[in-house]
Amino acid sequence: NAGVMQNPRHLVRRRGQEARLRCSPMKGHSHVYWYRQLPEEGLKFMVYLQKENIIDESGMPKERFSAEFPKEGPSILRIQQVVRGDSAAYFCASSPSLDYGYTFGSGTRLTVV
Amino acid sequence: AQTVTQSQPEMSVQEAETVTLSCTYDTSENNYYLFWYKQPPSRQMILVIRQEAYKQQNATENRFSVNFQKAAKSFSLKISDSQLGDTAMYFCALTPTQGAQKLVFGQGTRLTINP
């Protein structure tokens, strides 16, 4: 089992461009979480998804951010029209069930220039 | 709302010493999990130890142990016989056992182990 795979590891975007961050959960894991880590801070919850459903998006900014976890393929966190304040590390985590605890990926560092 | 507070932004000890990282939290939930995560320079979030709030016995994992004081809402991490590889950011985190199980993290403590 390869663990939670996130790509790209580093992503540079100019202001106004779109950023797409991918997360492939561990095999057999149907619960996916996205977190954002600003420099020198702890991780902050963004969204929780199960296959084809958004369960809790209370941590997602209201505009420009969206997430999906399709029936086939990785989970995608999409940021439209990026701004400098979006620069952060974005982590994905997956779990087989709610009582199991979850495993983090290595994160994607987004830099907006 | 739940909050987690780590009051020590940085700590530094000599190799082989014992070090204790502090964490306090606030929650209105009756049952919850508490965690310590380690984040080395590689950025990977690594689970160090986990405690279920209804268990009175403190969790231990090899050189890592916790002092869980439920009434005081305190959850400190003790690292014994510290090693150079323990150098990392350490985050305390909390999640209720019910619902979406979103983790709430503290601000982190940067721990440096000196040779």
Side-chain angles (χ1 to χ4, degrees):
Chain A
N1 203 330
V4 179
M5 305 300 293
Q6 288 190 249
N7 65 80
R9 186 146 173 80
H10 302 277
L11 181 62
V12 179
R13 285 287 177 265
R14 296 187 182 280
R15 278 178 294 171
Q17 290 185 320
E18 178 179 287
R20 280 181 179 247
L21 288 62
R22 294 177 192 77
C23 168
S24 296
M26 290 182 71
K27 188 175 180 181
H29 287 198
S30 59
H31 301 253
V32 167
Y33 299 78
W34 285 93
Y35 287 80
R36 177 165 65 175
Q37 184 180 29
L38 296 171
E40 303 302 316
E41 292 188 13
L43 280 68
K44 295 228 171 10
F45 169 79
M46 299 182 74
V47 62
Y48 160 46
L49 310 101
Q50 292 181 31
K51 281 288 186 181
E52 300 184 273
N53 291 304
I54 296 174
I55 307 301
D56 185 332
E57 56 180 349
S58 57
M60 288 275 272
K62 293 283 187 284
E63 298 177 352
R64 302 187 297 108
F65 285 71
S66 63
E68 63 177 12
F69 187 18
K71 188 176 179 181
E72 301 291 338
S75 176
I76 305 288
L77 180 67
R78 182 182 178 208
I79 311 172
Q80 296 178 287
Q81 299 176 334
V82 296
V83 300
R84 288 238 172 94
D86 297 333
S87 294
Y90 292 82
F91 288 88
C92 169
S94 74
S95 173
S97 68
L98 283 178
D99 292 332
Y100 194 77
Y102 41 81
T103 303
F104 280 91
S106 297
T108 293
R109 181 174 297 282
L110 171 66
T111 302
V112 179
V113 297
Chain B
Q2 291 137 89
T3 59
V4 176
T5 302
Q6 293 177 249
S7 58
Q8 304 152 312
E10 294 188 25
M11 296 189 73
S12 178
V13 298
Q14 297 298 120
E15 192 176 7
E17 290 183 346
T18 294
V19 59
T20 298
L21 308 184
S22 301
C23 173
T24 58
Y25 62 91
D26 193 22
T27 180
S28 57
E29 301 287 337
N30 287 327
N31 206 3
Y32 46 90
Y33 298 116
L34 291 159
F35 304 85
W36 279 97
Y37 279 90
K38 169 184 177 181
Q39 187 178 43
S42 67
R43 207 169 65 215
Q44 178 76 43
M45 292 292 288
I46 302 166
L47 178 63
V48 175
I49 203 164
R50 161 180 155 147
Q51 174 85 40
E52 296 177 66
Y54 69 88
K55 290 187 176 178
Q56 294 192 351
Q57 187 173 7
N58 289 326
T60 62
E61 286 288 340
N62 301 314
R63 297 182 295 108
F64 298 87
S65 61
V66 298
N67 183 3
F68 175 44
Q69 302 287 329
K70 190 171 184 179
K73 294 185 177 175
S74 169
F75 183 61
S76 61
L77 174 70
K78 184 171 87 170
I79 306 174
S80 303
D81 186 26
S82 56
Q83 301 174 359
L84 297 179
D86 296 333
T87 294
M89 286 288 290
Y90 285 81
F91 292 97
C92 180
L94 161 76
T95 185
T97 57
Q98 300 299 317
Q101 295 193 354
K102 305 176 284 193
L103 284 169
V104 176
F105 284 86
Q107 308 92 313
T109 295
R110 185 179 301 279
L111 176 64
T112 302
I113 309 299
N114 298 307

